[in-house]
Amino acid sequence: MKYIENIQQVADLQPDYLGFIFYEKSKRNFEGIIPELPKSIKKTGVFVNEYLEIVISLVEEYRLDAIQLHGDESVEYVSELKSKLAERRTLFIEENKLQKKKKNKQYVADLPIEIIKVFGIKDEFDFDVLKPYEEVVDYFLFDTKGKERGGNGVTFDWRVLAEYQFSKPFFLSGGIGIEQVKEIEEILKTDLPIYALDVNSQFEIEAGLKSVENIKKFKDEISTK
């Protein structure tokens, strides 16, 4: 998401998550203001090989609920990020206990920040690379491997996911649009722990600007399946 009015319009459709890309090389890079959103919607910051301090700063500035790591972040990086976020959250909770005036209280998320690690897939994928991340992330996200760090608008071969042997839930992403409704219906019948569908480029009027009408149509069709 990128534009205030469009953010509010999409939020009215009650998605579970709304994504904001903090990556200067992306044509969807976010530098604006996030309007007040319902608590049911998790504001998600998308980062690519970013310095930990910057990630944490933006989490606090925009009051993010989730972090999507779309780069080559190592297990050590994710572990340190998770640890530092937990430390900051504990610190703010303790500081708030000492503050009598509400206006002096620090923002603290109701729940720990979710961490989603992205992996690109094309025609094949070695799922063994996921093992070290299992204990440090909340979800995986499988996107189509391409020239861009996401938003390529192309669907990868979902049959590859038959080799996924983990219990960790994952987001299914990569060029998902209205045309994939039948395929989505079929893959949801499998035992795969699909947690959410991540949609983006197939619903864009331009980079960062979403077609509310098409998202509503997609959501309505999926909801009836």
Side-chain angles (χ1 to χ4, degrees):
M1 304 303 302
K2 196 170 180 179
Y3 305 101
I4 290 181
E5 185 178 357
N6 194 226
I7 292 169
Q8 293 170 323
Q9 292 171 336
V10 174
D12 287 341
L13 300 179
Q14 300 181 317
D16 299 297
Y17 294 77
L18 277 180
F20 302 90
I21 296 176
F22 298 100
Y23 181 51
E24 291 184 355
K25 293 182 180 180
S26 172
K27 54 191 175 184
R28 302 178 182 89
N29 185 49
F30 185 80
E31 296 179 317
I33 297 172
I34 300 178
E36 193 69 29
L37 298 174
K39 281 194 172 184
S40 60
I41 298 176
K42 295 179 180 178
K43 292 178 286 187
T44 306
V46 181
F47 300 93
V48 179
N49 302 326
E50 187 57 89
Y51 290 112
L52 288 173
E53 294 76 12
I54 293 178
V55 175
I56 293 168
S57 174
L58 289 170
V59 165
E60 294 172 0
E61 178 182 349
Y62 287 99
R63 301 186 173 188
L64 301 178
D65 304 290
I67 294 170
Q68 187 182 123
L69 299 174
H70 223 293
D72 308 303
E73 297 86 3
S74 66
V75 176
E76 292 74 24
Y77 175 100
V78 180
S79 297
E80 187 175 356
L81 174 61
K82 187 174 183 178
S83 176
K84 286 184 179 295
L85 287 170
E87 288 174 6
R88 298 284 288 186
R89 186 167 184 272
T90 300
L91 176 64
F92 289 165
I93 289 173
E94 292 303 316
E95 288 182 351
N96 283 346
K97 288 178 182 178
L98 301 175
Q99 297 291 345
K100 294 181 180 180
K101 294 182 180 180
K102 187 175 181 180
K103 66 178 181 180
N104 293 332
K105 292 183 181 292
Q106 301 265 20
Y107 167 74
V108 180
D110 293 337
L111 297 171
I113 307 299
E114 293 180 2
I115 297 180
I116 305 158
K117 182 68 186 82
V118 179
F119 292 90
I121 297 178
K122 198 169 184 181
D123 300 322
E124 56 185 13
F125 185 74
D126 179 11
F127 287 98
D128 285 341
V129 302
L130 305 180
K131 287 181 181 178
Y133 290 90
E134 265 200 294
E135 297 300 317
V136 295
V137 303
D138 296 285
Y139 305 101
F140 292 125
L141 184 151
F142 298 127
D143 198 1
T144 305
K145 191 173 184 179
K147 292 182 179 179
E148 303 291 334
R149 292 279 188 172
N152 289 286
V154 180
T155 304
F156 67 88
D157 187 350
W158 291 352
R159 289 175 296 183
V160 176
L161 295 172
E163 299 175 23
Y164 185 78
Q165 301 297 322
F166 302 95
S167 59
K168 180 73 66 179
F170 65 84
F171 287 64
L172 182 59
S173 186
I176 294 176
I178 295 173
E179 296 76 14
Q180 276 76 45
V181 169
K182 288 185 179 180
E183 288 86 346
I184 291 169
E185 181 181 3
E186 291 303 313
I187 197 167
L188 291 179
K189 291 178 182 177
T190 68
D191 294 329
L192 289 167
I194 300 173
Y195 173 70
L197 300 173
D198 181 290
V199 300
N200 185 16
S201 56
Q202 291 299 322
F203 294 90
E204 287 188 326
I205 299 168
E206 61 181 66
L209 182 66
K210 304 299 185 288
S211 167
V212 178
E213 180 182 350
N214 286 343
I215 293 175
K216 185 179 186 305
K217 181 180 179 182
F218 177 76
K219 183 181 178 184
D220 289 345
E221 290 196 28
I222 291 296
S223 298
T224 60
K225 301 302 180 183

PDB file of all heavy atoms in Angstrom, residues 133-145:
ATOM      1  N   TYR A 133      15.386 -21.855  10.096  1.00  0.00           N
ATOM      2  CA  TYR A 133      14.519 -20.705  10.360  1.00  0.00           C
ATOM      3  C   TYR A 133      13.268 -21.072  11.159  1.00  0.00           C
ATOM      4  O   TYR A 133      12.590 -20.177  11.690  1.00  0.00           O
ATOM      5  CB  TYR A 133      14.067 -20.071   9.034  1.00  0.00           C
ATOM      6  CG  TYR A 133      15.148 -19.354   8.278  1.00  0.00           C
ATOM      7  CD1 TYR A 133      15.929 -20.030   7.346  1.00  0.00           C
ATOM      8  CD2 TYR A 133      15.384 -17.990   8.471  1.00  0.00           C
ATOM      9  CE1 TYR A 133      16.922 -19.371   6.630  1.00  0.00           C
ATOM     10  CE2 TYR A 133      16.373 -17.325   7.757  1.00  0.00           C
ATOM     11  CZ  TYR A 133      17.139 -18.022   6.840  1.00  0.00           C
ATOM     12  OH  TYR A 133      18.125 -17.366   6.138  1.00  0.00           O
ATOM     13  N   GLU A 134      12.972 -22.359  11.229  1.00  0.00           N
ATOM     14  CA  GLU A 134      11.709 -22.789  11.846  1.00  0.00           C
ATOM     15  C   GLU A 134      11.474 -22.226  13.231  1.00  0.00           C
ATOM     16  O   GLU A 134      10.361 -21.836  13.593  1.00  0.00           O
ATOM     17  CB  GLU A 134      11.653 -24.324  11.901  1.00  0.00           C
ATOM     18  CG  GLU A 134      10.925 -24.946  10.752  1.00  0.00           C
ATOM     19  CD  GLU A 134      10.480 -26.353  11.093  1.00  0.00           C
ATOM     20  OE1 GLU A 134      11.345 -27.221  11.286  1.00  0.00           O
ATOM     21  OE2 GLU A 134       9.256 -26.568  11.176  1.00  0.00           O
ATOM     22  N   GLU A 135      12.526 -22.188  14.038  1.00  0.00           N
ATOM     23  CA  GLU A 135      12.375 -21.772  15.432  1.00  0.00           C
ATOM     24  C   GLU A 135      12.355 -20.259  15.621  1.00  0.00           C
ATOM     25  O   GLU A 135      12.007 -19.776  16.698  1.00  0.00           O
ATOM     26  CB  GLU A 135      13.511 -22.373  16.278  1.00  0.00           C
ATOM     27  CG  GLU A 135      13.521 -23.890  16.324  1.00  0.00           C
ATOM     28  CD  GLU A 135      12.235 -24.453  16.910  1.00  0.00           C
ATOM     29  OE1 GLU A 135      11.766 -23.898  17.931  1.00  0.00           O
ATOM     30  OE2 GLU A 135      11.686 -25.414  16.349  1.00  0.00           O
ATOM     31  N   VAL A 136      12.721 -19.501  14.593  1.00  0.00           N
ATOM     32  CA  VAL A 136      12.859 -18.051  14.788  1.00  0.00           C
ATOM     33  C   VAL A 136      11.848 -17.210  14.010  1.00  0.00           C
ATOM     34  O   VAL A 136      11.800 -15.990  14.185  1.00  0.00           O
ATOM     35  CB  VAL A 136      14.294 -17.580  14.445  1.00  0.00           C
ATOM     36  CG1 VAL A 136      15.292 -18.187  15.402  1.00  0.00           C
ATOM     37  CG2 VAL A 136      14.651 -17.898  13.000  1.00  0.00           C
ATOM     38  N   VAL A 137      11.051 -17.833  13.157  1.00  0.00           N
ATOM     39  CA  VAL A 137      10.037 -17.070  12.426  1.00  0.00           C
ATOM     40  C   VAL A 137       8.643 -17.571  12.797  1.00  0.00           C
ATOM     41  O   VAL A 137       8.473 -18.702  13.260  1.00  0.00           O
ATOM     42  CB  VAL A 137      10.226 -17.160  10.893  1.00  0.00           C
ATOM     43  CG1 VAL A 137      11.620 -16.686  10.500  1.00  0.00           C
ATOM     44  CG2 VAL A 137       9.963 -18.564  10.373  1.00  0.00           C
ATOM     45  N   ASP A 138       7.658 -16.721  12.566  1.00  0.00           N
ATOM     46  CA  ASP A 138       6.273 -17.109  12.824  1.00  0.00           C
ATOM     47  C   ASP A 138       5.647 -17.761  11.601  1.00  0.00           C
ATOM     48  O   ASP A 138       4.822 -18.668  11.722  1.00  0.00           O
ATOM     49  CB  ASP A 138       5.458 -15.875  13.229  1.00  0.00           C
ATOM     50  CG  ASP A 138       5.941 -15.281  14.539  1.00  0.00           C
ATOM     51  OD1 ASP A 138       5.643 -15.873  15.592  1.00  0.00           O
ATOM     52  OD2 ASP A 138       6.628 -14.250  14.502  1.00  0.00           O
ATOM     53  N   TYR A 139       6.053 -17.268  10.427  1.00  0.00           N
ATOM     54  CA  TYR A 139       5.519 -17.804   9.177  1.00  0.00           C
ATOM     55  C   TYR A 139       6.585 -17.734   8.088  1.00  0.00           C
ATOM     56  O   TYR A 139       7.474 -16.884   8.122  1.00  0.00           O
ATOM     57  CB  TYR A 139       4.310 -16.970   8.692  1.00  0.00           C
ATOM     58  CG  TYR A 139       3.207 -16.841   9.703  1.00  0.00           C
ATOM     59  CD1 TYR A 139       3.073 -15.683  10.462  1.00  0.00           C
ATOM     60  CD2 TYR A 139       2.285 -17.872   9.905  1.00  0.00           C
ATOM     61  CE1 TYR A 139       2.063 -15.554  11.400  1.00  0.00           C
ATOM     62  CE2 TYR A 139       1.273 -17.751  10.839  1.00  0.00           C
ATOM     63  CZ  TYR A 139       1.163 -16.592  11.591  1.00  0.00           C
ATOM     64  OH  TYR A 139       0.178 -16.468  12.521  1.00  0.00           O
ATOM     65  N   PHE A 140       6.442 -18.606   7.101  1.00  0.00           N
ATOM     66  CA  PHE A 140       7.191 -18.481   5.864  1.00  0.00           C
ATOM     67  C   PHE A 140       6.261 -17.824   4.852  1.00  0.00           C
ATOM     68  O   PHE A 140       5.027 -17.825   5.009  1.00  0.00           O
ATOM     69  CB  PHE A 140       7.622 -19.858   5.335  1.00  0.00           C
ATOM     70  CG  PHE A 140       8.645 -20.549   6.183  1.00  0.00           C
ATOM     71  CD1 PHE A 140       8.414 -21.838   6.678  1.00  0.00           C
ATOM     72  CD2 PHE A 140       9.849 -19.937   6.491  1.00  0.00           C
ATOM     73  CE1 PHE A 140       9.364 -22.483   7.462  1.00  0.00           C
ATOM     74  CE2 PHE A 140      10.805 -20.572   7.272  1.00  0.00           C
ATOM     75  CZ  PHE A 140      10.557 -21.843   7.755  1.00  0.00           C
ATOM     76  N   LEU A 141       6.845 -17.267   3.801  1.00  0.00           N
ATOM     77  CA  LEU A 141       6.065 -16.782   2.672  1.00  0.00           C
ATOM     78  C   LEU A 141       6.766 -17.240   1.412  1.00  0.00           C
ATOM     79  O   LEU A 141       7.971 -17.014   1.254  1.00  0.00           O
ATOM     80  CB  LEU A 141       5.941 -15.256   2.698  1.00  0.00           C
ATOM     81  CG  LEU A 141       5.053 -14.619   1.609  1.00  0.00           C
ATOM     82  CD1 LEU A 141       4.426 -13.307   2.100  1.00  0.00           C
ATOM     83  CD2 LEU A 141       5.803 -14.359   0.294  1.00  0.00           C
ATOM     84  N   PHE A 142       6.037 -17.892   0.532  1.00  0.00           N
ATOM     85  CA  PHE A 142       6.610 -18.385  -0.716  1.00  0.00           C
ATOM     86  C   PHE A 142       6.138 -17.516  -1.872  1.00  0.00           C
ATOM     87  O   PHE A 142       4.943 -17.420  -2.158  1.00  0.00           O
ATOM     88  CB  PHE A 142       6.230 -19.850  -0.936  1.00  0.00           C
ATOM     89  CG  PHE A 142       6.750 -20.757   0.145  1.00  0.00           C
ATOM     90  CD1 PHE A 142       5.904 -21.620   0.821  1.00  0.00           C
ATOM     91  CD2 PHE A 142       8.092 -20.742   0.490  1.00  0.00           C
ATOM     92  CE1 PHE A 142       6.387 -22.453   1.834  1.00  0.00           C
ATOM     93  CE2 PHE A 142       8.591 -21.552   1.491  1.00  0.00           C
ATOM     94  CZ  PHE A 142       7.731 -22.409   2.166  1.00  0.00           C
ATOM     95  N   ASP A 143       7.104 -16.884  -2.527  1.00  0.00           N
ATOM     96  CA  ASP A 143       6.840 -15.966  -3.621  1.00  0.00           C
ATOM     97  C   ASP A 143       7.512 -16.498  -4.876  1.00  0.00           C
ATOM     98  O   ASP A 143       8.295 -17.449  -4.819  1.00  0.00           O
ATOM     99  CB  ASP A 143       7.404 -14.587  -3.256  1.00  0.00           C
ATOM    100  CG  ASP A 143       6.830 -13.473  -4.108  1.00  0.00           C
ATOM    101  OD1 ASP A 143       5.984 -13.761  -4.968  1.00  0.00           O
ATOM    102  OD2 ASP A 143       7.237 -12.314  -3.915  1.00  0.00           O
ATOM    103  N   THR A 144       7.218 -15.881  -6.001  1.00  0.00           N
ATOM    104  CA  THR A 144       7.851 -16.284  -7.255  1.00  0.00           C
ATOM    105  C   THR A 144       9.227 -15.636  -7.368  1.00  0.00           C
ATOM    106  O   THR A 144       9.371 -14.430  -7.208  1.00  0.00           O
ATOM    107  CB  THR A 144       6.998 -15.859  -8.459  1.00  0.00           C
ATOM    108  OG1 THR A 144       5.684 -16.390  -8.300  1.00  0.00           O
ATOM    109  CG2 THR A 144       7.611 -16.370  -9.756  1.00  0.00           C
ATOM    110  N   LYS A 145      10.226 -16.446  -7.628  1.00  0.00           N
ATOM    111  CA  LYS A 145      11.580 -15.937  -7.805  1.00  0.00           C
ATOM    112  C   LYS A 145      11.665 -15.213  -9.144  1.00  0.00           C
ATOM    113  O   LYS A 145      11.329 -15.751 -10.195  1.00  0.00           O
ATOM    114  CB  LYS A 145      12.581 -17.096  -7.770  1.00  0.00           C
ATOM    115  CG  LYS A 145      14.029 -16.668  -7.688  1.00  0.00           C
ATOM    116  CD  LYS A 145      14.923 -17.874  -7.477  1.00  0.00           C
ATOM    117  CE  LYS A 145      16.378 -17.464  -7.284  1.00  0.00           C
ATOM    118  NZ  LYS A 145      17.256 -18.637  -7.060  1.00  0.00           N
TER     119      LYS A 145
END
